[in-house]
């Protein structure tokens, strides 16, 4: 699939998600940055969208900020979400993932606001809560939203099946290279480099039995964009 078509699909997926989640009563608001951590992951497609935004707005200086502020013990996934779904569906055990909760805030977070907010990764967008995380110490998320999030994350990876998934920092640093960006645009990426993992298409969706009927409307909306 041509890259601009993938970016269009990504934009439509974001619109659908925002519309679906809008029906829930959420506490998230400006300056609420408790979930803005250094452990956010995303796909290369999302990273390319962010890079385009930075170039169009003349804010490529944030690439230097990302490199300078990157936490050395930031989360780096061992496998993608679609690969994990396959392993679980086959009765296997996914690999243990190391996540340091003290890795600190996102490297671009400024005065509890996000300069990339319009194009923030879906991993940030889907981290919602019904109560203030600063008071409770955790996100109060409806179990159905968790399922919706998994379904969207799986489909976003599906769109970018020839790309990679990784920490926000690692994806941005990978795409900062002109050669890597050109190879990605041309669909010529090979084996994933250190810090990133290969994406793959959706083969099985992670939907618990109690949500299978309710999720059908969500799947219909996703399929309506002719993925």
């Amino acid at each position: 699939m041509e890259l601009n078509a993938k970016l269009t699909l990504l934009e439509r997926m974001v619109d659908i998600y925002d519309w679906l989640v809008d029906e829930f009563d959420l506490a998230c608001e400006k300056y609420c940055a408790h979930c803005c951590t250094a452990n956010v992951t995303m796909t290369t497609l999302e990273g390319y969208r962010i890079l385009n935004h930075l170039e169009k707005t003349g804010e490529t200086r944030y690439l230097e900020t990302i490199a300078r502020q990157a936490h050395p013990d930031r989360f780096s996934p061992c496998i993608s979400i679609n690969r994990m779904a396959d392993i679980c569906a086959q009765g296997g055990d996914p690999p243990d993932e190391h996540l340091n909760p003290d890795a600190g805030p996102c490297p671009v977070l400024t005065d509890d606001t996000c300069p990339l907010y319009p194009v923030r990764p879906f991993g940030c967008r889907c981290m919602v809560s019904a109560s203030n995380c600063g008071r409770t110490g955790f996100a109060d998320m409806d179990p159905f939203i968790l399922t919706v999030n998994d379904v969207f994350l799986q489909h976003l990876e599906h769109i970018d099946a020839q790309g990679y998934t990784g920490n926000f920092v690692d994806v941005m640093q990978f795409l900062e290279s002109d050669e890597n960006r050109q190879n990605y645009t041309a669909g010529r990426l090979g084996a994933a480099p250190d810090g990133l993992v290969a994406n793959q298409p959706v083969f099985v969706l992670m939907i618990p039995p109690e949500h299978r009927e309710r999720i059908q409307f969500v799947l219909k909306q996703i399929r309506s964009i002719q993925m």
Side-chain angles (χ1 to χ4, degrees), residues 93-141:
D93 294 320
D96 292 332
E97 299 273 23
H98 166 70
L99 190 152
N100 178 8
D102 298 319
C106 173
V108 299
L109 188 67
T110 307
D111 297 327
D112 285 340
T113 60
C114 176
L116 306 178
Y117 191 79
V119 291
R120 65 196 185 280
F122 188 79
C124 303
R125 186 177 297 271
C126 73
M127 193 62 187
V128 296
S129 179
S131 56
N132 189 308
C133 303
R135 296 173 189 158
T136 63
F138 60 89
D140 179 12
M141 194 179 297

Side-chain angles (χ1 to χ4, degrees), residues 151-162:
V151 166
F152 270 82
L153 286 167
Q154 287 193 256
H155 279 87
L156 288 175
E157 181 186 334
H158 179 88
I159 296 171
D160 196 32
Q162 293 180 316

Side-chain angles (χ1 to χ4, degrees), residues 3 48 51 174-189:
L3 181 58
Y48 192 90
L51 193 58
F174 174 80
L175 291 173
E176 191 176 359
S177 159
D178 289 337
E179 181 181 359
N180 288 341
R181 193 158 61 251
Q182 289 170 7
N183 286 336
Y184 176 67
T185 302
R188 295 196 300 262
L189 293 182

Side-chain angles (χ1 to χ4, degrees), residues 32-93:
C32 173
H34 304 291
C35 63
C36 301
T37 76
N39 292 323
V40 170
T41 61
M42 66 178 181
T43 61
T44 38
L45 182 63
E46 295 170 277
Y48 192 90
R49 179 184 182 229
I50 292 171
L51 193 58
N52 275 352
H53 175 78
L54 292 177
E55 292 176 344
K56 288 178 181 177
T57 58
E59 297 287 356
T60 53
R61 60 188 174 86
Y62 280 111
L63 294 173
E64 297 178 8
T65 303
I66 290 169
R68 185 175 64 254
Q69 299 287 100
H71 195 285
D73 196 26
R74 59 188 177 272
F75 173 65
S76 180
C78 296
I79 55 174
S80 71
I81 189 171
N82 282 339
R83 178 60 184 142
M84 181 174 67
D86 288 351
I87 292 173
C88 293
Q90 296 169 18
D93 294 320

